[in-house]
Structure formats: structure tokens, C-alpha cells
Amino acid sequence: MAEEKQPKETNPHLRGMKEGKRAGHKKQEADRPKDPRRALCIFITILLLLAGLAVLIVWSIYRPHKPRFTVVGAAVNHLNTSSPPYLSTSMQFTIVTRNPNRRVSIMYDKLTAYVSYRNQAITPPMVLPPFYHEKKSTVVMYPVLVGEGVPVSVEVSDGLVMDEAYGVVGLRVVLLGRLRWKGGAIKTGRYGVYVKCDILVGLKKGFVGQVPLLGSPQCQVDI
């Protein structure tokens, strides 16, 4: 069966009118103003992508590592467990912190410390002064942590009496605070820092002064 062909437009005037209409539609589309909101969204998207790329590059160059903390000394100035359920104590610790970063310094805006025994605080949190930790440097702190009439559980008071009789007491020194990283002119936002130092001290009831550290591994640091 022969394929039926569409008749060609033979009238040149009609053909010219159709072509003119097509050209007019194209011109109207070209002259139509573009949506400014769409252009703004594209600009913001590109800007965010560039900013994210810049942050990624800077972070890959500096890559800050967590600081390291170690308790290297302890002294018990006072420890009274004779009035349960209240406990009074005064302890001093020597804490060494190391910034292992070559390009990044650390700014401690806020830092508090307290002592706990069997997961219960035996001193209230004490505010430590803020400090600036230079690159590849070591800072030594000597916080004195004091608690007067701190209410504790029977487990804590009885546990301390038994541990003192045995001569070994397990303590936990806790540091809580906020820090910022600084690399060149770039400063990050504030990050929470939690430092947990589990130590064993040789302590007999009634002893006052510097006590031996029987176990003091590197502290656990969470940021």
C-alpha cells in the first residue's frame, strides 16, 4: 500500500506567516526576564559547595589530633570517712597534658575538674583557669580538689574504709570543658572535651601527703 504523503504548503504567504510566528515565539522567550530566585539559589549552592571544599582542604592539611592527659602525681591532704553519709577530702594532682599537633594549637575556654570514687563524685567540680596550648608543647596543671561534707552512698563510705585498710584506693580524676582548635588564622567552633583518668594510689588510713601511684595509664579523652 502506498504511503500517504502530507501535502506541502504551496502558498508562500501562509508559509511566511507560520515562520514569522515561530520566530516571534522564540524572541518572546529570549526577551522574557529570568527568575531571580532561581539565580540566587544557584549562586548560594555554588557558594556553599566552595566553602565546604575549602573547609575540607584545610581540615585535611591540619587534621587536629586529640590532646593527651596523664596523672603523674597525687597527694592526699585530708580524707575523712568517719561521719557517714558525709565525706570530706582535699587532694592535689599533677596532670600533664600534651598537644601532639604540629600545626594546630588548642584554646581551652572552660575547664572543670573533680574526683570520683566508684562512679560517684567525692568533690564538687572546681573551675580551672582557661589556657592556651601551643603546638607540640606540654602543660602541667596542679589542681587542688576539695570537698567538705559531700553526701555519699553507703557503698562509697564503706568502700573507702575497706580500701584504706587494704592500702590501695582506686580514684578517677575527671576534666570537663570546652576547647577550640586554632590553625594559623583559622579558629574552629567550641567542642566539648571529657577527660577520664583512672588511677590507683597507695593510701593507708590516716596518711597525709604525697602518695605513690600504683597505676596511672594515659587518660581517656573524648571530644
Side-chain angles (χ1 to χ4, degrees), residues 25-73:
H25 288 314
K26 291 182 181 179
K27 188 174 183 304
Q28 287 178 0
E29 291 177 359
D31 294 341
R32 186 180 300 165
K34 295 181 179 179
D35 188 357
R37 290 176 298 181
R38 184 167 177 267
L40 181 62
C41 289
I42 294 173
F43 174 76
I44 293 175
T45 302
I46 294 173
L47 190 64
L48 290 174
L49 288 174
L50 291 175
L53 182 62
V55 170
L56 183 61
I57 292 172
V58 171
W59 187 265
S60 63
I61 292 173
Y62 289 98
R63 280 185 300 181
H65 299 283
K66 294 187 293 187
R68 300 169 188 157
F69 289 79
T70 309
V71 178
V72 298

Side-chain angles (χ1 to χ4, degrees), residues 20 32 36-38 45 48 55 87 98 130 151-152 157 159 182 185 190 192 195 210:
R32 186 180 300 165
R37 290 176 298 181
R38 184 167 177 267
T45 302
L48 290 174
V55 170
L87 182 146
R98 174 74 178 169
V152 296
S157 58
K182 183 177 183 296
R190 289 177 173 84
V195 182
Q210 197 79 20

Side-chain angles (χ1 to χ4, degrees), residues 14-205:
L14 292 176
R15 191 185 307 123
M17 290 176 63
K18 289 182 178 180
E19 292 176 355
K21 286 181 180 180
R22 292 196 198 98
H25 288 314
K26 291 182 181 179
K27 188 174 183 304
Q28 287 178 0
E29 291 177 359
D31 294 341
R32 186 180 300 165
K34 295 181 179 179
D35 188 357
R37 290 176 298 181
R38 184 167 177 267
L40 181 62
C41 289
I42 294 173
F43 174 76
I44 293 175
T45 302
I46 294 173
L47 190 64
L48 290 174
L49 288 174
L50 291 175
L53 182 62
V55 170
L56 183 61
I57 292 172
V58 171
W59 187 265
S60 63
I61 292 173
Y62 289 98
R63 280 185 300 181
H65 299 283
K66 294 187 293 187
R68 300 169 188 157
F69 289 79
T70 309
V71 178
V72 298
V76 177
N77 304 318
H78 174 65
L79 180 61
N80 184 4
T81 59
S82 60
S83 302
Y86 300 101
L87 182 146
S88 297
T89 184
S90 174
M91 301 180 180
Q92 183 175 20
F93 298 92
T94 304
I95 303 173
V96 176
T97 175
R98 174 74 178 169
N99 179 8
N101 296 287
R102 292 182 300 166
R103 299 185 179 93
V104 179
S105 54
I106 305 173
M107 305 167 67
Y108 291 91
D109 297 322
K110 182 181 178 183
L111 205 59
T112 59
Y114 67 90
V115 182
S116 71
Y117 172 81
R118 295 195 178 183
N119 295 320
Q120 184 173 347
I122 60 174
T123 68
M126 189 191 78
V127 179
L128 304 179
F131 65 94
Y132 183 76
H133 206 167
E134 290 283 358
K135 301 179 283 289
K136 279 288 184 181
S137 65
T138 300
V139 174
V140 183
M141 299 180 286
Y142 305 93
V144 178
L145 307 178
V146 179
E148 291 292 340
V150 178
V152 296
S153 65
V154 176
E155 179 190 0
V156 167
S157 58
D158 291 348
L160 277 171
V161 171
M162 287 189 294
D163 287 351
E164 282 183 307
Y166 183 67
V168 178
V169 179
L171 299 172
R172 174 176 291 175
V173 182
V174 178
L175 301 173
L176 293 170
R178 307 280 286 177
L179 62 78
R180 288 179 291 167
W181 310 100
K182 183 177 183 296
I186 300 174
K187 295 180 184 178
T188 68
R190 289 177 173 84
Y191 291 85
V193 57
Y194 173 70
V195 182
K196 181 176 66 176
C197 307
D198 291 323
I199 61 174
L200 290 174
V201 298
L203 178 64
K204 285 283 189 178
K205 185 173 178 61

